[in-house]
C-alpha cells in the first residue's frame, strides 16, 4: 500500500524433513508402506545394504593390512572402518509392503530382486502382502498357496509378484509381527516408519507404545501420510 512505510511481515512455515530421514539413529528398522507408500523405503533399503557392505569391505581390508609391516596403513584403515560403523548404527531391517493390486509389485520389481540378491547375510527381511486375496489359511486360497510354494521352492520366483520375495495373502497380523521382532531383537531400539493412509498409523503407534512397555525392545513410531 502507498501509505505503508515499513515492509510487510513475512511468515515462513517449514521446511519439513521426511520422518524416515533419521533412520540411521536406530538399531533395527521396521518399515511399513501401503501401496505407493513403499517409495521412500526402497532407497533406505539400498542405502542400508550399501553401507553395511562398505563397512564389511573396510573391515576385511583392515585385517589384511594388519598382517603387513605398514603399521600406519593399518591404523588409518581400522579407524575408517570403526568410524563408519559408529556413524551407521542400523544393522537390521524388516520391510512390509501392503497393497491391494498385484500389478503394484511391478513398480519396484527390479529393486526388490536387487535387494534380495545383494543381501547375502540376511540383513533385510522383505514381506509382500496382497490384501485383495483371502488369507493363506482360507480354503479359497489353498490351491494358490500350494502352487505358489512349489514354484518358489523350485525356481525361487514368486508367481504373484514375479520377484524373489514371496507374497503373503490378506493383511499382516501386526501384533504377531511386533512380538516376533521384539523377541528377535531384545534390548534394541527399533525405528517404526510408516507411509500410507492415517487408519493404520493409529494401530502401529498403539502397538509401538504397548510393546515398548511390555518387552525389552523399544519401538519409536514415525509416520508420513500420502
Amino acid at each position: 500500500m502507498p501509505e505503508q512505510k515499513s515492509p510487510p511481515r513475512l511468515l515462513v512455515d517449514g521446511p519439513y524433513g521426511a520422518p524416515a530421514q533419521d533412520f540411521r539413529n536406530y538399531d533395527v528398522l521396521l518399515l511399513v508402506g501401503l501401496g505407493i507408500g513403499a517409495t521412500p523405503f526402497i532407497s533406505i533399503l539400498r542405502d542400508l545394504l550399501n553401507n553395511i557392505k562398505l563397512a564389511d569391505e573396510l573391515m576385511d581390508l583392515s585385517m589384511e593390512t594388519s598382517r603387513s609391516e605398514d603399521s600406519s596403513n593399518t591404523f588409518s584403515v581400522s579407524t575408517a572402518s570403526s568410524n563408519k560403523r559408529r556413524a551407521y548404527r542400523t544393522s537390521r531391517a524388516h520391510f512390509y509392503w501392503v497393497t491391494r493390486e498385484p500389478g503394484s509389485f511391478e513398480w519396484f520389481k527390479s529393486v526388490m530382486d536387487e535387494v534380495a540378491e545383494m543381501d547375502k547375510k540376511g540383513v533385510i527381511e522383505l514381506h509382500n502382502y496382497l490384501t485383495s486375496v483371502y488369507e493363506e489359511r482360507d480354503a479359497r486360497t489353498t490351491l494358490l498357496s500350494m502352487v505358489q510354494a512349489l514354484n518358489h521352492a523350485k525356481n525361487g520366483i514368486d508367481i504373484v509378484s514375479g520377484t524373489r520375495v514371496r507374497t503373503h495373502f490378506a493383511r499382516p497380523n501386526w501384533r504377531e509381527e511386533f512380538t516376533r521382532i521384539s523377541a528377535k531383537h531384545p534390548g534394541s531400539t527399533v525405528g517404526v516408519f510408516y507411509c500410507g493412509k492415517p487408519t493404520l498409523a493409529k494401530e502401529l503407534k498403539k502397538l509401538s507404545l504397548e510393546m515398548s512397555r511390555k518387552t525389552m525392545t523399544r519401538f519409536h513410531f514415525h509416520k508420513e501420510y500420502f
Side-chain angles (χ1 to χ4, degrees):
M1 300 295 293
E3 65 272 13
Q4 187 175 8
K5 296 181 179 181
S6 60
R9 292 183 62 191
L10 180 63
L11 304 180
V12 180
D13 191 12
Y16 297 103
Q21 71 183 27
D22 295 327
F23 71 93
R24 294 181 180 86
N25 297 332
Y26 298 96
D27 304 317
V28 181
L29 301 180
L30 172 53
L31 310 173
V32 181
L34 262 61
I36 198 64
T39 304
F41 302 136
I42 296 298
S43 58
I44 291 178
L45 297 180
R46 300 179 74 170
D47 188 62
L48 175 61
L49 277 178
N50 289 333
N51 278 274
I52 291 177
K53 181 180 179 182
L54 177 60
D56 289 341
E57 290 176 352
L58 288 172
M59 184 62 70
D60 293 340
L61 183 59
S62 173
M63 294 177 64
E64 292 178 2
T65 310
S66 64
R67 300 188 185 99
S68 69
E69 297 179 357
D70 192 349
S71 59
S72 60
N73 287 341
T74 302
F75 175 76
S76 61
V77 174
S78 298
T79 303
S81 178
S82 177
N83 289 338
K84 186 67 178 179
R85 289 186 178 275
R86 284 199 297 268
Y88 207 95
R89 176 178 174 183
T90 309
S91 59
R92 291 290 185 273
H94 303 263
F95 174 58
Y96 293 81
W97 188 9
V98 185
T99 183
R100 285 187 54 83
E101 302 297 331
S104 300
F105 293 124
E106 291 289 335
W107 299 340
F108 305 114
K109 179 179 178 180
S110 60
V111 178
M112 299 288 277
D113 281 336
E114 181 182 356
V115 170
E117 183 177 353
M118 287 178 61
D119 190 14
K120 304 298 185 182
K121 296 184 177 182
V123 173
I124 298 173
E125 284 189 12
L126 301 174
H127 304 273
N128 290 340
Y129 279 84
L130 185 62
T131 60
S132 58
V133 181
Y134 295 104
E135 58 183 310
E136 295 173 356
R137 291 182 291 272
D138 193 291
R140 289 165 286 191
T141 59
T142 301
L143 181 58
L144 177 58
S145 297
M146 291 175 59
V147 174
Q148 180 195 39
L150 288 172
N151 189 77
H152 194 274
K154 182 178 180 180
N155 304 313
I157 301 296
D158 182 74
I159 61 174
V160 178
S161 65
T163 69
R164 300 184 183 185
V165 184
R166 184 172 176 180
T167 302
H168 305 279
F169 302 134
R171 292 175 174 81
N173 185 323
W174 292 113
R175 181 172 295 276
E176 290 183 359
E177 298 304 319
F178 270 77
T179 301
R180 183 179 66 85
I181 291 173
S182 63
K184 190 171 184 178
H185 306 287
S188 298
T189 303
V190 180
V192 182
F193 296 94
Y194 169 72
C195 184
K197 296 181 178 180
T199 308
L200 181 57
K202 297 178 181 179
E203 181 181 357
L204 296 178
K205 182 178 181 179
K206 180 180 178 181
L207 284 170
S208 296
L209 295 173
E210 179 183 336
M211 298 304 292
S212 294
R213 292 194 303 266
K214 292 183 177 180
T215 69
M216 297 178 61
T217 307
R218 297 293 173 261
F219 294 87
H220 296 263
F221 179 71
H222 307 268
K223 65 181 184 298
E224 181 177 0
Y225 299 146
F226 64 81

